[in-house]
Amino acid sequence: MIWLGFGLAHCRFPSIEFWPAAERLNYFVLFPALLISSLADAPLRDPEVLRLGGAAVSTIVIAATALALFRRIRPMPSQRYGPVVQGVIRFNTYLALSLIATLSGPDGLETAAFYLALAVPLVNLLSILALSDAGAAKAPRALMRVVLTNPLILACLAGLALAITGVGLPFGLDRLVTLLGQGSLPLGLLCIGAALRPASLRINALPLITTSVARLVLMPLLGLAVGHLFDLEGTEAIIMAVFCAVPTAPTAYVLTQQMRGDGQFMAGIVTFQTMAAVLSIPIMLTFLVL
């Protein structure tokens, strides 16, 4: 699906303007619908799910702390540091959920939505702080406005509220939201392919490789270690492994551009990791899950 999206976009089919519009439709409508429909029935009181949430937050915080320590040894400007942080702690949600749906089915998607409800706000917050060199922390209102206008974060909050209260979606809206959500993953995979920028791989070879090794190899190993500490098993262990093994998110490029980071470097990280994941994901998941 990813390579099909790349081929279609390369052939300019159906048009150049289609792919940015499709990505916006998915980001603001279809994918939030998937999060809401999955979270609305998530088993939030299950101890296994709560341990998964603790493991998710711990893994991201440990990785971000390690990067901050590395920056003290090897100083770099925020324009460069922001893409590195996003290249390590962010994850390709569309690809992760597609894998989880294949490996664990609908129940896995519900549990994975809870993972997202905790991880999406956290990685966005850490990414903004890295790109702004923590300057955003000095303007908490602006920071909260950026975080709370994120459609994925709003969808997570709405889904959590429905799950906690048990109210559900009235007047048949549950079926509508479910139908919208079903279109999110295939369109998301196509858009990932359309967003690949092979030209961005011509520079920054060493930083691209080291950042990608940290994301595609070290993060899964860290997730495995943290998962053992939290006694994750079965579906929760699979979800933890998948989210740690997938490449970084294409939306990291958009955030980098908005905050005046090194957009070309970020595009290179996204492209290189997505291409390398063709080999790394089967290897890491075989090692971590089987």
Side-chain angles (χ1 to χ4, degrees):
M1 291 287 285
I2 292 173
W3 287 117
L4 176 60
F6 175 77
L8 292 173
H10 185 71
C11 296
R12 300 186 177 184
F13 180 85
S15 68
I16 298 176
E17 295 79 12
F18 170 80
W19 294 104
E23 187 173 342
R24 286 178 59 82
L25 174 66
N26 207 8
Y27 188 69
F28 286 97
V29 179
L30 302 184
F31 192 57
L34 177 65
L35 291 178
I36 292 173
S37 63
S38 299
L39 268 173
D41 299 319
L44 299 185
R45 293 176 178 82
D46 187 340
E48 287 286 337
V49 174
L50 296 178
R51 285 202 294 271
L52 173 63
V57 172
S58 298
T59 303
I60 294 168
V61 170
I62 291 171
T65 302
L67 290 171
L69 294 174
F70 176 77
R71 191 187 186 192
R72 287 182 173 271
I73 301 172
R74 296 287 299 272
M76 65 185 81
S78 59
Q79 293 88 346
R80 193 83 166 179
Y81 180 61
V84 170
V85 169
Q86 293 188 91
V88 176
I89 69 170
R90 293 189 77 126
F91 44 82
N92 192 317
T93 309
Y94 302 131
L95 182 54
L97 291 184
S98 298
L99 289 168
I100 290 167
T102 301
L103 296 172
S104 301
D107 292 339
L109 285 180
E110 292 180 1
T111 306
F114 177 70
Y115 183 106
L116 291 175
L118 298 177
V120 167
L122 179 59
V123 297
N124 275 276
L125 177 63
L126 292 173
S127 298
I128 292 170
L129 291 175
L131 284 164
S132 64
D133 218 0
K138 300 175 183 178
R141 290 186 179 179
L143 178 61
M144 290 302 295
R145 183 166 59 252
V146 172
V147 172
L148 293 179
T149 54
N150 185 304
L152 305 188
I153 295 176
L154 294 177
C156 288
L157 293 175
L160 283 174
L162 292 172
I164 293 171
T165 60
V167 172
L169 292 167
F171 309 119
L173 287 177
D174 55 340
R175 182 61 179 157
L176 172 63
V177 172
T178 300
L179 285 172
L180 289 171
Q182 287 174 351
S184 175
L185 295 183
L187 182 60
L189 293 175
L190 291 171
C191 288
I192 291 170
L196 295 180
R197 300 288 181 267
S200 63
L201 300 178
R202 296 172 184 171
I203 60 172
N204 303 315
L206 183 60
L208 284 180
I209 294 172
T210 54
T211 303
S212 298
V213 169
R215 174 65 215 174
L216 300 176
V217 179
L218 299 183
M219 275 295 286
L221 295 177
L222 175 61
L224 176 64
V226 174
H228 279 306
L229 290 176
F230 281 83
D231 294 324
L232 298 184
E233 297 178 350
T235 298
E236 287 73 23
I238 292 174
I239 291 170
M240 185 71 179
V242 168
F243 274 111
C244 289
V246 295
T248 191
T251 50
Y253 172 77
V254 178
L255 180 62
T256 302
Q257 288 288 86
Q258 288 177 345
M259 300 198 66
R260 300 179 181 179
D262 191 336
Q264 188 173 16
F265 181 41
M266 190 72 251
I269 291 174
V270 172
T271 300
F272 185 83
Q273 289 189 13
T274 303
M275 296 171 66
V278 174
L279 295 176
S280 69
I281 287 178
I283 294 172
M284 295 310 298
L285 289 186
T286 300
F287 176 70
L288 297 175
V289 176
L290 299 182

